[in-house]
Amino acid sequence: MAELENTPGVYKVAGPMCKWRLAGTIQSGRSGYVRRETSWLTNSRELAAMLQDERVSLQGKSGWYRHVRPVGFQKVRSTQIYPPRLMYAILRVVRDQLVHRMELSSMDICTAGPIAEEPEVYSDEQWKTYYDDVNGGILPTKLVEDARQLERDWVAKEGVYTKVPREVMESEGATAIPLLWIDTNKGDANKPVVRSRLVVMEATKGKKAKFEQLSPEKLFSAMPWLEALKLLCSIQATQQRSSRGAELKLAFWDISRAHFMSKCERRLFVKLPEGDPDRHTHVGLLQRTMYGTQDASHLWQKNYTDLLAKKGYVPGKTNPSIFYNPFDGSRLFVHGDDFVLLGDQRSITEMDTLLNSKFTCKHVATLGTEAGDSQEACVLNRIVRITEDGIEIEGDRRHAELLARDL
């Protein structure tokens, strides 16, 4: 017990049981509340503050209670039974903490789980079902498990977090943020391509304490307008040639796991994912941002802006996700993890080298008329194609389906 009491992050407090209406009766027949001082050990600051509060009742009212000093059987019995008010207060604090850490939803609060006396009807292994978190529907179990293992291996290889003992986190008074799997089919029903991503469930600004909240600018990430794509297509069709006299082309890149690419600037701990043998004794200390951390998109924008500046790209004054290079006249916009560049072949080659020097990226297509160029490409869920009359953009088919369904 002494070792546990001296463990970092453990609080020892004491408080009177009369606060919780612990009642007793003495030999004369007079009843009253038993003051008995009780000591507690807990790793919750909120629970410690509630238990050691001297005279504040459950409703926030203060007052003095009439005490009795039980003897004999009553004295023994009073040390064995905790009053319902105390149990309710403890559970309420635990519930509030779970809600604050986003481990318990509003719906979960209103539902009841199994009780200890009920045997398990089935195990998770027997009834594993995975759902598409983006498109809906059931996903093939084997493909999801393979995709999750691929994600775990990549996270470990890239050093997204380092494992540290739970005691390190608790000594700093911190808590581990839960992780969530997001599974989706990037293909179709006939040829499913399942992708799984680990997402951090960091609390939103409104649910954080003031000292934990980030300033508004650290939560912001600029996005280009759709007109930026239309403008690049218009310039390609009308200007046709770069300042070097070469053909203007549209090139598209997709950055894999963009929000994992930036260095984490805060000291954040996360729970280890399912399947990790150390998840009960260790936590992860983030070295990089992850999807779900509040400042991930802001740091990602800062990351690629600094990289583009090395090649002379200047961000726009009205929108920092749009760039212009005054040395070769190339133009670029960044939409999340998609890069779209208008320039000649030399500019495209230089951009491909620059992006691959720091990120894991895929050169999706180059739209042009020379040998080896594509005549159409998909960007932002739209089809951009070169025709005899110029360049056309086909709208998002999913939007068309929604409009047709609602007619």
Side-chain angles (χ1 to χ4, degrees):
M1 183 60 69
E3 182 180 354
L4 179 61
E5 182 179 331
N6 295 322
T7 302
V10 172
Y11 304 91
K12 181 179 180 181
V13 296
M17 293 298 289
C18 59
K19 169 186 174 182
W20 309 109
R21 308 296 198 271
L22 178 63
T25 305
I26 59 177
Q27 291 179 346
S28 63
R30 183 166 63 88
S31 299
Y33 296 120
V34 180
R35 177 177 173 81
R36 184 171 61 87
E37 288 283 337
T38 303
S39 297
W40 307 83
L41 291 180
T42 176
N43 63 349
S44 167
R45 283 177 292 184
E46 293 80 3
L47 197 56
M50 182 269 293
L51 290 171
Q52 72 178 352
D53 193 8
E54 177 76 12
R55 293 181 297 105
V56 178
S57 67
L58 215 55
Q59 291 76 27
K61 300 176 181 178
S62 61
W64 297 102
Y65 305 130
R66 183 180 184 183
H67 299 115
V68 296
R69 191 181 299 277
V71 294
F73 173 75
Q74 278 287 343
K75 184 175 183 180
V76 175
R77 184 175 181 274
S78 69
T79 63
Q80 294 176 336
I81 301 175
Y82 289 123
R85 283 177 177 267
L86 170 62
M87 306 310 297
Y88 174 81
I90 291 175
L91 291 174
R92 188 175 62 176
V93 172
V94 172
R95 180 201 65 187
D96 292 344
Q97 286 186 297
L98 291 174
V99 171
H100 176 73
R101 297 202 301 259
M102 299 182 72
E103 296 182 29
L104 189 68
S105 68
S106 300
M107 182 176 292
D108 293 331
I109 294 175
C110 301
T111 60
I115 61 176
E117 289 76 11
E118 292 181 349
E120 286 193 16
V121 179
Y122 57 84
S123 66
D124 291 339
E125 295 294 329
Q126 292 174 297
W127 295 87
K128 271 191 176 178
T129 303
Y130 300 104
Y131 297 91
D132 192 318
D133 296 296
V134 178
N135 307 309
I138 298 177
L139 296 173
T141 300
K142 179 66 166 61
L143 294 182
V144 173
E145 292 178 348
D146 289 345
R148 289 187 176 187
Q149 186 58 49
L150 183 66
E151 180 78 351
R152 279 192 289 262
D153 293 342
W154 186 89
V155 167
K157 178 175 71 72
E158 295 293 325
V160 174
Y161 56 75
T162 56
K163 293 183 183 180
V164 297
R166 282 185 171 272
E167 291 77 13
V168 174
M169 174 191 70
E170 292 167 354
S171 66
E172 299 180 16
T175 56
I177 307 173
L179 296 179
L180 177 70
W181 282 108
I182 299 295
D183 309 302
T184 186
N185 182 9
K186 302 293 285 186
D188 53 38
N190 296 324
K191 294 182 179 180
V193 180
V194 176
R195 187 186 74 178
S196 295
R197 288 286 182 267
L198 270 176
V199 177
V200 175
M201 299 174 62
E202 187 176 12
T204 57
K205 180 178 179 181
K207 295 183 179 180
K208 281 180 168 286
K210 282 196 173 182
F211 70 90
E212 297 177 311
Q213 294 179 7
L214 297 176
S215 55
E217 67 273 10
K218 292 185 178 180
L219 303 174
F220 175 77
S221 174
M223 297 292 282
W225 310 284
L226 177 60
E227 285 73 18
L229 175 62
K230 296 179 179 179
L231 182 59
L232 293 189
C233 291
S234 176
I235 295 174
Q236 182 185 13
T238 55
Q239 187 171 315
Q240 297 185 352
R241 296 283 168 180
S242 70
S243 58
R244 290 189 282 245
E247 179 187 349
L248 280 177
K249 303 178 183 182
L250 272 177
F252 310 98
W253 289 267
D254 177 61
I255 308 298
S256 177
R257 300 178 174 91
H259 283 191
F260 286 99
M261 294 293 123
S262 305
K263 182 179 179 181
C264 188
E265 296 185 351
R266 295 179 291 152
R267 193 168 174 82
L268 295 177
F269 297 92
V270 297
K271 293 184 177 180
L272 299 181
E274 294 179 12
D276 192 305
D278 299 324
R279 68 189 307 261
H280 298 296
T281 58
H282 289 67
V283 293
L285 175 60
L286 285 188
Q287 305 300 313
R288 298 192 192 181
T289 57
M290 293 181 68
Y291 288 96
T293 50
Q294 288 191 34
D295 52 355
S297 60
H298 172 75
L299 293 176
W300 163 239
Q301 179 176 310
K302 178 182 176 183
N303 194 354
Y304 70 67
T305 300
D306 292 342
L307 180 67
L308 292 172
K310 295 178 181 179
K311 281 294 182 180
Y313 283 89
V314 181
K317 293 182 178 180
T318 60
N319 192 318
S321 64
I322 298 174
F323 297 84
Y324 177 70
N325 191 328
F327 300 103
D328 59 13
S330 57
R331 294 172 169 85
L332 169 79
F333 74 78
V334 183
H335 188 284
D337 55 7
D338 294 312
F339 283 65
V340 180
L341 173 73
L342 176 66
D344 56 27
Q345 188 59 50
R346 179 178 169 182
S347 297
I348 293 172
T349 302
E350 291 175 350
M351 178 59 65
D352 189 67
T353 303
L354 180 66
L355 294 178
N356 279 286
S357 68
K358 192 168 186 180
F359 309 134
T360 303
C361 68
K362 176 184 177 183
H363 187 178
V364 178
T366 296
L367 206 64
T369 60
E370 295 181 343
D373 294 340
S374 301
Q375 297 301 300
E376 75 174 35
C378 180
V379 58
L380 307 181
N381 294 319
R382 290 165 174 81
I383 304 297
V384 182
R385 64 170 62 90
I386 295 179
T387 68
E388 294 180 356
D389 299 323
I391 301 176
E392 66 178 23
I393 301 177
E394 181 181 324
D396 191 336
R397 295 180 181 178
R398 291 177 297 181
H399 292 172
E401 291 172 358
L402 290 174
L403 289 172
R405 186 190 65 187
D406 295 339
L407 289 176

